[in-house]
Amino acid sequence: METKTRNGWVRPLCWTAVLLDGFDLVVLGVVLPVLLGTRIWGMTPALGTLISTVGLVGMTIGALTIGTVTDVIGRRKALILSVTAFSAFTLLCAFAPSAAMFATLRFLAGLGLGGCLPTAITLVTEHQAGRGRGPSASTTVMTGYHVGAVLTALLGIVFIEPFGWRAMFIAGALPALVLVPLMLKYLPESASFQHVHRAATPPARAGREAVAGLFRGGLLRATLAFWCTTFLGLMLVFGLNIWLPQIMRQAGYPLGTALALLLALNLGAVAGMVAAGSLANRRGLHRSTVCWFLGAAVFLALLVVKLPVPGLYTVIFFAGFFVFSAQALTYGYTQQIYPEHNRATGLGWTAGIGRLGAICGPLLGGAMLSAGIAYPWGFYAFSAIGLLAAGAIAAVRTRPDRGGHGVARSGAKPSFARPGSGAR
């Protein structure tokens, strides 16, 4: 009974952790127009892009590291460490005295943020694996990401004018004071991890084998395809969430309207997560992910058209509907393809390589803003990226094995560890 009760905490605790991660995805985009408008620290679009990039470098390192660490020390410990780290450094951002210190703190927070999402998705997916809801597990967790983004946009509208931009970082960090103690008390370790790691394997060797396994047993093509897809997908996610308010201001909209469009974008993301997870359960992850990236490309292209306000909000909503859930489906797809002994490593490296795209997205948006061409050419560029991502994910071909796992068709069939098999 106690185990069943603790298992019931897995989804809400992981969802809340990802919600706080989602807050950090959007908070810089919310405060950047204020920093640029007040010229604090001599802020310019180029400096804002640099600060954003430094934070994303931290996320890249965190994601690349945490996947392998998680496959060695466990999902539970890794997730608690990630949440504690990024919450502490996000709080310190509120008291940064200079642009250099602010960028440093964003980098350190990024180390924890990079590890949060892959670990939470892996933990929830492994707890849901035997219940027939594997494909929707990652999209369910990812709704927290965008609920956090929606709350951030709302807080920006309500908080910034009376309390200032620093209050945003305080508001984003304080929930960890409740979440971390709850995780310490109630969050269980993944049963799959416990099974795979019953045998004593030296941590260094386990880590090397987890990484090497991404390129063996027919997984090379799938691994490269996931890396390309996530690189492109996170170009869209971060490029839009960091620069959409400023792009819309360049198009002539006031700050309040620009932030409201960011809110509509992430409301669409939440709706898209629910719909994508349901569709993937029925139609499969491969077809669903390709279609979702194609939908993203279509609605991003529509943003170049001058529309009346209701039409603009509708297109922004559906752009968010497809862009963000396409990326969530990609994460879920990795959980279907990779075996349990290196599942977190597979997702961690996929997310880590994707963070390079997360760096390039804001760089692209910042460069176009500096050149004065972000509207409309930025949306042409983002639409093309969506088409490329659809092509990349289409390169992954899978068929289910008898245990319900995905098996990559690119080469030999990989050996999947199942409960009771003793596979390593």
Side-chain angles (χ1 to χ4, degrees), residues 120-130 134 137-138 141 332 335-336 343:
I121 289 176
T122 300
L123 189 53
V124 172
T125 299
E126 291 181 344
H127 275 280
Q128 296 294 317
S138 62
V141 172
Q335 302 297 279
Q336 186 182 80
R343 184 173 292 142

Side-chain angles (χ1 to χ4, degrees), residues 243-255 257-258 261 303-307 312 316 369 372-377 379:
W243 287 120
L244 181 65
Q246 197 66 15
I247 292 174
M248 289 309 185
R249 289 191 75 187
Q250 189 177 89
Y253 296 95
L255 175 60
T257 300
L261 289 171
L303 285 172
V304 305
V305 180
K306 286 288 186 181
L307 296 168
L312 177 62
I316 286 283
L369 277 166
I373 60 171
Y375 189 89
W377 289 102
F379 293 120

Side-chain angles (χ1 to χ4, degrees), residues 57-70:
V57 169
M59 292 183 193
T60 302
I61 296 171
L64 290 172
T65 304
I66 201 70
T68 305
V69 169
T70 297

